[in-house]
Amino acid sequence: MAQRLQGRTALVTGSTSNIGRAIAVALAKEGAHVVVSGRDDARGAAVVGQICEDGGRADFVRADLDGTAAASRALAEQAQDLLHGRVDILVNNVGIYPPATTPTTDEETFDRVYGVNVKAPFFLTQALVPAMISAGGGVVINLGSWIARLAVPVGALYSSTKGAMETLTRAWAAEFGPQGVRVNAVSPGVVVSPDWDTATDHPGEVMMRGTPAGRSGHPDAIAAAAVYLASDDAAFVHGTVIDVDGGRTGVAVVAV
């Protein structure tokens, strides 16, 4: 069976663990040469090692995407150098979630969360999309969140950043789509990291009670959606946010 992303290149931010790691591995399995990025050298090397052991191609770039344009441009330049001048697929996955309420959020935290979750992907997209256009096309995939549309009591700051990314998805689709660059997003629901201790209950499981899935999701489910959006199977898909959340946002929850 032919690999859907054979001959293409990809950069996945925040891809040394959890959802980002799953996306990087999945893109590589479909034939893409992937640049893994994050702040942890050891974790980055482990992801690259996994991909290479499976017969894929990957490189690691250490990046601290703090929201400055300089940090995003530096990552873009390093990724382009490793990928022979072009990035066909950009996955804006990096994000941080401070478990703070509005009264307990200080200005430093506010700026840091918006810097990582919104400014960093904004300037990274700004740095990479022009080359995609010149090359004849490309794909940008953003990561949203189910709590951008179904509010929870803790996480106003984080959910607002994900709402911003979902809005940018539609705006960029309008801006770049006519020039050959497709922009879409995946909105994960409650996802449990494979590193979670299975001997203890994950707090997100409570939120999934009464949903069609009835349980939390695995990072591979998000990765599968990202592969679809990156591939030609989604050639007619623009400005869409795909909910991969076990039905949490789209279906009435039945009390159990």
Side-chain angles (χ1 to χ4, degrees), residues 17-32:
S17 63
N18 206 14
I19 290 174
R21 177 175 184 150
I23 292 173
V25 170
L27 294 178
K29 283 182 178 178
E30 289 291 341

Side-chain angles (χ1 to χ4, degrees), residues 11 62 73 125 139 210 255:
L11 167 62
R62 190 182 188 283
R73 288 170 187 155
T125 301
V139 175

Side-chain angles (χ1 to χ4, degrees), residues 21-40:
R21 177 175 184 150
I23 292 173
V25 170
L27 294 178
K29 283 182 178 178
E30 289 291 341
H33 182 176
V34 179
V35 168
V36 175
S37 71
R39 295 179 295 179
D40 191 304

Side-chain angles (χ1 to χ4, degrees), residues 214-232:
R215 58 174 176 78
S216 59
H218 188 279
D220 287 349
I222 313 304
V227 167
Y228 163 69
L229 289 175
S231 74
D232 291 340

Side-chain angles (χ1 to χ4, degrees), residues 37-108:
S37 71
R39 295 179 295 179
D40 191 304
D41 292 336
R43 286 185 173 184
V47 180
V48 170
Q50 179 184 351
I51 290 171
C52 292
E53 286 176 10
D54 290 340
R57 294 175 299 163
D59 294 282
F60 174 69
V61 173
R62 190 182 188 283
D64 185 2
L65 295 176
D66 57 6
T68 60
S72 291
R73 288 170 187 155
L75 175 56
E77 290 173 3
Q78 292 178 78
Q80 287 173 321
D81 287 344
L82 288 167
L83 299 174
H84 308 293
R86 81 181 207 274
V87 175
D88 300 317
I89 303 158
L90 167 62
V91 182
N92 286 314
N93 169 73
V94 70
I96 54 176
Y97 185 121
T101 61
T102 298
T104 60
T105 299
D106 57 29
E107 185 176 9
E108 181 182 356

